[in-house]
Every structure is written in structure tokens, then in C-alpha cells.
Amino acid sequence: STYHHHQPYHQPSIIMPITTLTVAVGSTNPAKIRSVQQALEQLLLVVSAGNDNTNAVTLELKVQGFSVASGVPDQPMQDEDTKRGAKNRAKAAFAAFCATAPHDGAVEPHLAIGLEGGLEDQDGDLACMAWMAVYGKRSDDVLAWTSSKVVPTNSSNNNGDDDDDSSIINYTIKDEYSWGLAKTASFVLPPKVTKLIQEDGMELGDADDVVFSRIKSKHGSGTVGILTNGLIDRSKYYEHALLLAMVPWIRPDVYPTGHR
């Protein structure tokens, strides 16, 4: 699935940033793709709003989902498995994009993103959470859209002054790939859902469908949606964690090597 967003994101033409930001997602689940789309739209709009739009260029955001394996159980039951699944999905999405390239001239995505939902024990209760993994190069032309902060070329020369709000980025990271990682908040599952998972071996989405009489809930609002009466759907649940996973692209000055 390819999504085209035509909201103009503006950046000064001094940097000559890219005009298309390509993003590969390690899933074709509409809820996951929507969360990536919405999180990146928030970031791009905030950054562009702080810049002088004189002689601006316009960015098109393209998000494409790929059906890839997570390399972990279908229902991860531990934090580390869930985190590994997200990283595996990001790397697999990157590879799938490259294998079917070019996509509108792009031979590799600027960003590859993996989202993996999982469960973990919390004092005897079963809690839901998810990990986000962002993978890609933090090149100047990408940072021109994701960071409006002036960053010194040599971070050792940073005098700690955080008051400079110029939008020109003066930070170069070599052609190295970086990671951004973040975890969602967690919440305890209802006993009936927990029982179906632990005793009947169901995945969370299937258990949710049984208990709440729904169909393919994981493609829609998810368990978090039904439990919060729609205040937080599955896409919203992932958005904050996705933005936190993007922090190495938002503030490369304090993350010289990204997350690990």
C-alpha cells in the first residue's frame, strides 16, 4: 500500500533537501501503516512550521507497507522478543523495498520502520505493549526535514547553548545506518482475554475478537481501542512511541550514533 500526502512541508532551499521522503513499513496492517503516516505527518508539520518558507520546496511523504516476517513468535510474550521483532521487521522492510526497487526512482527507503506488539508479565498479570524500530541513514537531506535544530559539525565544540533556533542544519553523519527504538506504554489485559491467551494459546487479536465479539480488531482500533472506549485507538497508541523512536533524527546533536 502506497500513501501520498500532499500537504506541503516547507524547508529553506539553502539545504536543498529531498522532495520525496520514502518510508518502508514492515507490515501491511492498515492500523500500523496509518500510525506511521500520522506520526511522520506530525513531525514534518512541526518542523516546517518553524522555518522561513521563502524559496521553499515541497515534500511528498510516501509510506509503503511490506508483508515481512518478524522472526519471533506470532504472539511475542516477552519484552526482548517484541523488541527483536520490531527490529527484524524494519530490516526486512528495508530489504523488501530494495528488492522491488526502484520505487519512483528510489533504490532504497529513507526510513524503514518495524512495529511489533507483544505481551509481558506484570506481577502476575498479562500486559500489552509494543516496540517501534526505525532504521535508516541520517543524511543531511533527510535531517533537513526531521530536525530544525542547528547542530555543530563537531559535537565536541557544542557549548551547550540550546537557544539557537536557526533552521539550517550543519551536521553531517557519514553513510552509516542508524537505529531509533522506543516502547509504548503498557496496560493490563482483562482476565477473560488473558485466559484465552494463556490457556488456549490464542493471539491477542483473536482473543479480543472472541471476548468483545469483533472481527479482525487488530486491523482496526485494537484492544486498546475497545478498553478506552475509543479514546486511544491502535494507531494513536503507536504514534507517541514512533515519534520517540524518531528522536535520533529529531535531535542528532545528542544522539551521534542513534540508539543501539
Side-chain angles (χ1 to χ4, degrees), residues 50-100:
N51 290 307
D52 177 8
N53 290 334
T54 305
N55 299 320
V57 295
T58 300
L59 178 74
E60 183 179 20
L61 174 63
K62 291 187 177 182
V63 180
Q64 184 169 357
F66 294 89
S67 180
V68 299
S70 67
V72 298
D74 290 340
Q75 181 58 78
M77 298 294 290
Q78 296 179 356
D79 186 77
E80 197 56 40
D81 277 352
T82 309
K83 181 179 181 180
R84 185 168 64 253
K87 294 182 74 173
N88 288 346
R89 284 185 181 276
K91 288 291 289 287
F94 186 94
F97 185 102
C98 294
T100 55

Side-chain angles (χ1 to χ4, degrees), residues 10-12 15-18 20-21 43-44 46-48 51 59 110-111 134 136-153 166-174 176 178 245-258:
H10 295 299
Q11 272 285 356
I15 306 169
M16 293 306 294
I18 54 175
T20 301
L21 182 67
L43 172 59
L44 293 168
V46 167
V47 171
S48 64
N51 290 307
L59 178 74
H110 295 108
L111 299 171
V134 180
K137 294 178 181 178
R138 293 186 297 162
S139 57
D140 282 343
D141 53 359
V142 173
L143 293 180
W145 289 106
T146 61
S147 172
S148 59
K149 181 77 177 174
V150 166
V151 184
T153 302
S166 171
S167 61
I168 301 174
I169 295 175
N170 186 30
Y171 185 69
T172 301
I173 298 175
K174 305 298 181 184
E176 297 176 354
S178 297
M246 283 294 297
V247 164
W249 280 262
I250 299 171
R251 286 298 303 270
D253 54 324
V254 290
Y255 290 93
T257 58

Side-chain angles (χ1 to χ4, degrees), residues 21-37:
L21 182 67
T22 56
V23 182
V25 179
S27 175
T28 56
N29 185 315
K32 290 184 175 182
I33 293 175
R34 185 165 56 249
S35 65
V36 171
Q37 182 86 17

Side-chain angles (χ1 to χ4, degrees), residues 79-250:
D79 186 77
E80 197 56 40
D81 277 352
T82 309
K83 181 179 181 180
R84 185 168 64 253
K87 294 182 74 173
N88 288 346
R89 284 185 181 276
K91 288 291 289 287
F94 186 94
F97 185 102
C98 294
T100 55
H103 298 266
D104 295 329
V107 295
E108 68 177 51
H110 295 108
L111 299 171
I113 299 178
L115 308 85
E116 187 72 16
L119 304 174
E120 60 183 354
D121 179 81
Q122 286 187 0
D123 299 324
D125 290 319
L126 201 58
C128 179
M129 50 78 186
W131 272 93
M132 313 289 119
V134 180
Y135 179 75
K137 294 178 181 178
R138 293 186 297 162
S139 57
D140 282 343
D141 53 359
V142 173
L143 293 180
W145 289 106
T146 61
S147 172
S148 59
K149 181 77 177 174
V150 166
V151 184
T153 302
N154 184 346
S155 59
S156 64
N157 293 332
N158 190 348
N159 60 12
D161 181 7
D162 290 330
D163 295 331
D164 190 341
D165 62 356
S166 171
S167 61
I168 301 174
I169 295 175
N170 186 30
Y171 185 69
T172 301
I173 298 175
K174 305 298 181 184
D175 288 335
E176 297 176 354
Y177 293 95
S178 297
W179 281 105
L181 302 166
K183 184 181 178 181
T184 64
S186 62
F187 59 94
V188 173
L189 296 174
K192 287 183 179 180
V193 175
T194 297
K195 183 178 180 181
L196 289 174
I197 294 170
Q198 293 180 330
E199 297 183 10
D200 296 353
M202 284 189 178
E203 292 183 38
L204 173 58
D206 297 330
D208 178 300
D209 288 347
V210 171
V211 172
F212 297 108
S213 301
R214 303 201 293 174
I215 298 174
K216 292 185 178 180
S217 57
K218 66 182 181 180
H219 289 172
S221 64
T223 305
V224 68
I226 194 75
L227 293 179
T228 63
N229 286 333
L231 290 173
I232 305 173
D233 64 17
R234 197 180 188 198
S235 295
K236 285 288 186 184
Y237 180 56
Y238 289 156
E239 278 180 40
H240 280 180
L242 283 165
L243 288 170
L244 291 172
M246 283 294 297
V247 164
W249 280 262
I250 299 171

